[in-house]
Amino acid sequence: MARRGAAAGGDVCMCQTVFPAHANQRGELSAGQLLKWMDATACLAAEKHAGVSCVTASMDDIQFEEAARVGQIITIKAKVNRAFKTSMEVGIKVIVQDILTNVEKIASMAYATYVAKPLGAGKIELDPVKLLSTEDQLEHTLAIERRRIRLGYEQLFQNLMRESNKEDNFEEEGAVSTDLTYVQSIELVQPPHANHHGNTFGGQIMAWMEAVASISASRLCRSYPILKSVNMFKFWGPSIVGDRLVFNAIVNNTFQNSVEVGVRVEAYNCEEWIKDQARHINSAFLIFNTVNDKGELLTFPRIKPTTKDGLRRYHGAIARRRIRLTRKCMLSAKQDKPSDPWERSNQAYVSYSNIAALTHLAAKPGWEITRTLDDIKIWTHEEGDMLSLKVEMQVKIPSHLAFSLLSDFRFRQQWDKHFLTCEVLQAVNEDEKIYYVTSPPITGHKPRDYVILVSQRQPCKPSEPYIVAVKSVTLTSMPPSEEYCRSEILCAGFQIYSDSNSSCTVCYFNQVTSGVMPYLAANLTGSSKSIEDTALECIKFLELKDSKC
């Protein structure tokens, strides 16, 4: 098996001026044209890293934030974030620039997966991406988390479908039959639609899907729909020059100001066309809204499914919307928000935001050493009104053992006097647990309690750290009580780096909240050494456990 990969990974930038031929009836860059450019740029980045031809496997949920008008410039940047065995995650960023005002805005961001396809029957294994900056390291780490979400998406969707199927409340007076929104279109794949191997460009298929979905949505709104997001393009199989592609689009559901259109793509060669033997090659769900002349959102009529399959699609749209709203909340909201609700529909995204928040905090530039004591260093970081703490400890213990001990918070009270009790409320899976923690009272105040999610991750390669991320979550089964003051952990946790077979560096991070501030303030002024004392107890605990193993 050959190993392939450019030393510095794929990094491609494409600039395009929006001409009238690229625009829709509103004079804005059509979403289909933008999808073609995004796919082409990302594919070039993937092939630059792999050194062989690559094909689109999927493109994650895409949000269209800003429209580009005729005369403006579109810049698309694509970079390989992480290479797996034969596939790569490519990050895509689209910027629109007005050449008259020089104002730049982000139009869209997305993550796509590409698969290396070498000639012949040989197999390749992609080289790792060379990380040249802190941002590269961040995206490289988070690519693993996004992959976990992709792999778990289908199970999450099926769970939500079972819940949605219990709600058959679609019988509404004046509801429009979904049959009226059905649209079919047929395209013949010709050489300009394909790459040098004759396979149809994924971006071309996306553009055709957007066109037919837009017509379907227009049947409801009697206006020009605006594509706002896409719920994951997934390619199930290839098509080639000469294939007939049949696009079937229908409205699945409406949600007041938005509508979801499902598109299924089937391919036929000449023989299959005669025998009516279709190959299902792609499916996607596109979300549109529409506005009036004043730019105000218009309301879509309610729809009514008329078949068993229509009912399935109706409930599927509800499930996907729940996932979509959760994703938007978890991945876009600020970190200083209240505790995230822990529900089946958002477990994967809360876990992702937990790991992502700690990874971003650790990678921030500008950490300053405030105190050094033997094997302990205390760092602080100020950003606006946010103060963060980092405690670095040198420990004579293997990194995997430190990870095992620090990720189990039931051990925490043995070395941290701020933990009075700690119990597991829910073992979500082998990498996620929810704990209930109580802390002793500060003079004149009630004792504090926390409901926290602890997410643990092992490194994929030796240079990466073990991660134990912590944040507060909300459980309906564990409401605040009068006995305790319910407190929040915004972002905290450990990164553990291996130094040798018998030593490691443990870094503890905490984005300071009101509960931690008194201890930090006292340490910074020199009137207390509680942070150093806790760090010393942590080192002692870890090394004592190691001696007993």
Side-chain angles (χ1 to χ4, degrees):
M1 179 181 288
R3 293 186 65 89
R4 300 295 296 270
D11 192 352
V12 172
C13 181
M14 177 187 290
C15 292
Q16 295 278 0
T17 299
V18 180
F19 291 111
H22 304 139
N24 56 25
Q25 64 283 343
R26 292 184 300 275
E28 298 172 349
L29 174 65
S30 74
Q33 181 63 61
L34 178 56
L35 288 168
K36 288 171 65 175
W37 286 344
M38 290 170 69
D39 179 63
T41 308
C43 188
L44 288 172
E47 292 183 344
K48 182 178 178 182
H49 177 77
V52 296
S53 295
C54 296
V55 296
T56 314
S58 66
M59 193 171 286
D60 290 1
D61 297 357
I62 308 168
Q63 304 293 324
F64 296 95
E65 305 293 345
E66 194 74 29
R69 302 194 64 83
V70 172
Q72 293 183 325
I73 296 174
I74 285 288
T75 301
I76 304 174
K77 298 179 180 180
K79 185 177 182 64
V80 175
N81 292 328
R82 188 160 194 146
F84 302 99
K85 287 187 177 180
T86 60
S87 65
M88 294 155 280
E89 181 196 89
V90 180
I92 309 167
K93 184 176 183 179
V94 182
I95 299 170
V96 56
Q97 179 189 15
D98 190 302
I99 59 175
L100 299 180
T101 63
N102 204 35
V103 173
E104 292 186 350
K105 295 181 180 180
I106 295 177
S108 182
M109 293 185 69
Y111 297 97
T113 301
Y114 287 82
V115 177
K117 290 289 185 181
L119 289 173
K123 293 184 178 180
I124 66 169
E125 184 172 333
L126 296 168
D127 280 342
V129 175
K130 186 175 181 180
L131 308 177
L132 303 178
S133 67
T134 301
E135 183 180 354
D136 291 348
Q137 181 66 57
L138 277 172
E139 292 297 338
H140 185 262
T141 300
L142 296 179
I144 283 287
E145 295 302 306
R146 290 188 286 267
R147 190 168 189 254
R148 290 168 66 100
I149 290 177
R150 293 183 198 110
L151 296 176
Y153 181 92
E154 187 58 33
Q155 183 60 52
L156 172 59
F157 175 74
Q158 293 301 329
N159 291 340
L160 290 178
M161 275 291 285
R162 284 191 286 270
E163 296 177 10
S164 180
N165 283 334
K166 300 173 184 177
E167 306 170 10
D168 292 338
N169 56 344
F170 57 83
E171 293 286 353
E172 291 191 20
E173 186 177 350
V176 178
S177 170
T178 54
D179 295 345
L180 299 176
T181 69
Y182 175 71
V183 177
Q184 184 181 84
S185 178
I186 303 175
E187 298 287 350
L188 176 64
V189 180
Q190 301 188 51
H193 305 141
N195 61 21
H196 49 291
H197 294 303
N199 293 319
T200 316
F201 281 120
Q204 179 61 68
I205 296 176
M206 294 181 202
W208 282 332
M209 293 175 79
E210 187 273 335
V212 70
S214 179
I215 296 172
S216 177
S218 69
R219 299 276 175 88
L220 280 183
C221 62
R222 305 296 178 184
S223 181
Y224 299 115
I226 303 169
L227 182 63
K228 297 305 294 181
S229 64
V230 180
N231 197 107
M232 189 177 286
F233 284 108
K234 196 160 188 176
F235 292 86
W236 301 103
S239 63
I240 61 174
V241 171
D243 278 349
R244 286 83 173 158
L245 302 188
V246 178
F247 296 80
N248 294 292
I250 193 169
V251 168
N252 292 332
N253 210 335
T254 59
F255 304 98
Q256 190 169 354
N257 298 127
S258 66
V259 56
E260 181 193 279
V261 181
V263 184
R264 178 185 173 94
V265 186
E266 296 173 336
Y268 301 80
N269 59 28
C270 287
E271 184 178 349
E272 293 166 339
W273 188 249
I274 296 172
K275 296 180 179 180
D276 195 25
Q277 295 176 340
R279 287 176 283 123
H280 177 207
I281 64 167
N282 186 271
S283 287
F285 305 93
L286 297 84
I287 294 83
F288 295 86
N289 63 26
T290 188
V291 297
N292 60 21
D293 294 338
K294 298 179 181 179
E296 299 167 333
L297 288 174
L298 297 179
T299 301
F300 285 90
R302 297 300 299 163
I303 58 98
K304 180 173 63 176
T306 58
T307 64
K308 186 176 180 180
D309 186 60
L311 182 61
R312 175 189 62 80
R313 290 184 281 101
Y314 179 94
H315 288 301
I318 295 173
R320 283 184 291 273
R321 185 171 186 263
R322 288 183 63 183
I323 296 174
R324 194 162 56 247
L325 293 177
T326 296
R327 175 186 179 276
K328 187 174 182 180
C329 174
M330 295 299 108
L331 305 188
S332 301
K334 294 180 180 179
Q335 293 179 16
D336 56 348
K337 61 186 184 311
S339 302
D340 293 319
W342 183 259
E343 299 174 352
R344 180 178 295 177
S345 63
N346 64 12
Q347 290 176 4
Y349 297 106
V350 176
S351 300
Y352 173 89
S353 67
N354 195 16
I355 297 293
L358 180 62
T359 304
H360 279 281
L361 178 61
K364 285 182 180 292
W367 286 96
E368 296 182 357
I369 294 181
T370 58
R371 186 165 299 182
T372 302
L373 174 67
D374 297 330
D375 293 329
I376 300 169
K377 293 179 181 178
I378 298 177
W379 309 64
T380 56
H381 183 279
E382 292 185 67
E383 186 174 14
D385 57 357
M386 185 65 69
L387 181 64
S388 300
L389 169 73
K390 172 183 174 181
V391 182
E392 183 181 303
M393 298 167 276
Q394 303 298 321
V395 187
K396 296 179 177 63
I397 179 177
S399 55
H400 70 274
L401 183 54
F403 171 70
S404 175
L405 294 169
L406 292 175
S407 60
D408 190 340
F409 270 46
R410 291 171 297 181
F411 292 132
R412 186 73 174 258
Q413 61 209 83
Q414 296 184 30
W415 57 269
D416 190 345
K417 65 181 181 180
H418 305 110
F419 274 54
L420 191 60
T421 64
C422 183
E423 62 174 302
V424 178
L425 293 178
Q426 185 177 338
V428 183
N429 54 51
E430 62 181 9
D431 293 325
E432 323 280 344
K433 289 185 176 65
I434 297 177
Y435 292 87
Y436 176 66
V437 177
T438 63
S439 294
I442 303 175
T443 304
H445 297 276
K446 288 182 180 180
R448 291 170 291 127
D449 68 347
Y450 304 83
V451 178
I452 58 173
L453 168 67
V454 177
S455 305
Q456 62 185 63
R457 300 288 187 271
Q458 298 191 39
C460 296
K461 53 186 181 181
S463 61
E464 296 177 347
Y466 290 89
I467 297 176
V468 182
V470 185
K471 72 179 299 182
S472 289
V473 293
T474 300
L475 277 182
T476 54
S477 60
M478 187 60 66
S481 67
E482 294 184 359
E483 183 181 355
Y484 293 94
C485 175
R486 178 60 54 87
S487 297
E488 305 282 345
I489 294 178
L490 299 178
C491 173
F494 300 91
Q495 286 191 342
I496 304 164
Y497 290 87
S498 178
D499 296 330
S500 69
N501 291 334
S502 59
S503 65
C504 64
T505 299
V506 176
C507 297
Y508 171 73
F509 298 88
N510 196 319
Q511 199 169 66
V512 178
T513 60
S514 57
V516 180
M517 186 61 78
Y519 302 103
L520 181 58
N523 272 260
L524 294 178
T525 58
S527 60
S528 170
K529 292 186 177 180
S530 63
I531 294 177
E532 291 99 321
D533 292 342
T534 302
L536 287 170
E537 288 298 317
C538 180
I539 295 173
K540 187 187 301 183
F541 163 78
L542 293 173
E543 294 180 348
L544 182 61
K545 285 287 185 180
D546 181 43
S547 66
K548 292 181 179 180
C549 292

